[in-house]
Amino acid sequence: MSSRPLLDDAHLSRGVGIRFVSLVVPVTATMLAVVWSLSCLSPIYVNSQVPPLPVVVNENDAATAGEKFVYSLVAALIVVGCVVAATFATVLLYHFHLQFVLYGWLAFSAVSMFFMLLWIWLDLFCTYFQIPYNVISMGIFVWNFGVVGLIALFCYSHPTVTQVYLVIASILTAWSLTALPEWSTWSLLICIATYDILAVLWQQGPLHRLIKIAQERDEPIPGFVYSSAHSIVPITQPATASSARVPATAAESFMWTVQHATPFKLGLGDFIFYSLLVGRASFSGFVSWSFCMVSILAGMLGTLLSLLLFRNSLRALPALPCSIFLSTVVFVLCRLIVESLSSFTSHHLLVL
């Protein structure tokens, strides 16, 4: 019996595994960091009477569950509307070669994250661990950290440094968004995942057109994008006389795709909304957020495998819908079944 099929299976598994792990590690680190920040730092943030993020429609003003649902849906649609407007503006600016405006907006966003949000997070971090500091030392640290971050994102740095700063930016943004009310957060996640489907897969969708224009020009899209390029180790296999031939079977074609496909790229928004979902679920207990995190990773795996299988017919796939919808269903099931069963069991054990 030939060992060639076993060798191909080993290379195939290693290729898929490396590409998946190259994104799983930063996504998992972001989600865990947000959960830790919420469990350790957010209580100080709440007890200091600092108001949460401003919302146009506050669900806390609703008297009934129906009104709360309507208020949360309206608030989510307003946010998604702003995202849609910003996306179309990005497409127009990119179409007319006004990238300097886009880079200016991205620089403003980076300054807000690396200076303002980082200062707040470090202040709570030092308070939690009782680390003494003064304004001068904190200002020097934040200034140096922020300047290096701007250089890493907009000029040049080692890819690992850029990836670390992207993960930190995701942590800070997702942590700050958890100040939104509960129902508004879940409505926002579902609405933004639905919009992601239309924006990427619809022929006239803004992200679909943006990707098409970028591929026609062979230019990068201005934005914060996490690339797993340097994390992927080339897959080598023994040279054979048939190694250069065109793949004939479906299995060989998939094997060739895994070996030669371009690195996966994930937008910073995907990191943020994944972490926002897990962070919001963490308010309901360990079971909820741990199950949601596993569901997000499972949805990512399905999306990445679909991207490998249909790479010839699809330029890109939305990363949010599969993970967000699956995690939302899992969260509801945890609240209705797992947590109720856990409370019932704990109550009867205490009685016994």
Side-chain angles (χ1 to χ4, degrees):
M1 182 178 64
S2 174
S3 62
R4 181 66 181 176
L6 296 177
L7 186 61
D8 289 344
D9 291 342
H11 283 292
L12 179 62
S13 301
R14 183 169 178 265
V16 175
I18 289 176
R19 292 181 177 276
F20 182 58
V21 171
S22 63
L23 287 181
V24 166
V25 172
V27 170
T28 304
T30 305
M31 292 187 291
L32 292 178
V34 171
V35 171
W36 181 87
S37 299
L38 289 174
S39 62
C40 297
L41 307 184
S42 287
I44 305 176
Y45 185 84
V46 174
N47 293 334
S48 61
Q49 301 300 323
V50 178
L53 293 178
V55 291
V56 179
V57 181
N58 191 356
E59 68 182 48
N60 296 325
D61 298 333
T64 62
E67 291 182 357
K68 181 176 289 189
F69 172 76
V70 173
Y71 284 8
S72 64
L73 185 60
V74 171
L77 291 177
I78 292 174
V79 176
V80 173
C82 296
V83 173
V84 173
T87 307
F88 275 102
T90 301
V91 175
L92 291 176
L93 292 173
Y94 189 77
H95 178 74
F96 291 105
H97 300 277
L98 298 175
Q99 285 90 333
F100 68 93
V101 179
L102 294 177
Y103 283 113
W105 170 253
L106 292 175
F108 173 77
S109 302
V111 168
S112 301
M113 291 183 292
F114 292 143
F115 289 92
M116 183 180 67
L117 292 180
L118 180 63
W119 186 294
I120 297 174
W121 191 91
L122 287 176
D123 176 60
L124 298 177
F125 181 86
C126 294
T127 303
Y128 179 78
F129 288 102
Q130 299 183 359
I131 301 175
Y133 73 94
N134 53 37
V135 177
I136 297 177
S137 60
M138 179 68 76
I140 294 175
F141 177 82
V142 172
W143 171 261
N144 284 276
F145 187 89
V147 170
V148 173
L150 293 177
I151 295 174
L153 295 181
F154 297 101
C155 297
Y156 175 78
S157 69
H158 192 276
T160 303
V161 177
T162 303
Q163 291 182 347
V164 169
Y165 270 95
L166 289 174
V167 170
I168 293 174
S170 303
I171 294 171
L172 295 174
T173 307
W175 171 69
S176 64
L177 288 178
T178 54
L180 291 172
E182 181 180 8
W183 286 43
S184 298
T185 301
W186 290 108
S187 299
L188 173 61
L189 290 170
I190 295 174
C191 291
I192 202 70
T194 305
Y195 164 71
D196 200 22
I197 298 176
L198 298 176
V200 176
L201 297 183
W202 184 35
Q203 295 293 330
Q204 303 301 324
L207 293 179
H208 183 88
R209 296 183 64 86
L210 184 63
I211 295 172
K212 182 179 179 180
I213 295 173
Q215 290 182 347
E216 290 175 352
R217 297 180 181 176
D218 195 19
E219 296 177 354
I221 300 176
F224 298 136
V225 179
Y226 186 98
S227 176
S228 61
H230 83 290
S231 302
I232 299 178
V233 181
I235 305 172
T236 59
Q237 57 181 350
T240 60
S242 60
S243 60
R245 65 184 177 87
V246 178
T249 64
E252 291 179 350
S253 178
F254 183 69
M255 179 66 184
W256 187 91
T257 299
V258 171
Q259 293 181 2
H260 299 86
T262 57
F264 291 128
K265 295 181 180 180
L266 204 62
L268 203 67
D270 301 324
F271 280 79
I272 293 172
F273 288 113
Y274 288 160
S275 303
L276 176 60
L277 189 149
V278 175
R280 173 52 61 180
S282 67
F283 289 117
S284 301
F286 173 79
V287 175
S288 298
W289 74 260
S290 59
F291 276 40
C292 286
M293 186 172 67
V294 173
S295 301
I296 286 176
L297 298 180
M300 280 184 56
L301 177 60
T303 303
L304 297 180
L305 288 178
S306 300
L307 190 60
L308 285 175
L309 291 172
F310 303 105
R311 63 185 296 267
N312 294 327
S313 57
L314 295 174
R315 290 188 175 93
L317 278 178
L320 288 178
C322 186
S323 297
I324 295 296
F325 293 149
L326 179 61
S327 300
T328 303
V329 173
V330 169
F331 175 78
V332 173
L333 293 177
C334 286
R335 291 294 300 270
L336 296 179
I337 300 176
V338 178
E339 292 185 4
S340 300
L341 181 61
S342 177
S343 301
F344 176 80
T345 305
S346 301
H347 176 72
H348 282 71
L349 286 176
L350 290 176
V351 172
L352 292 176

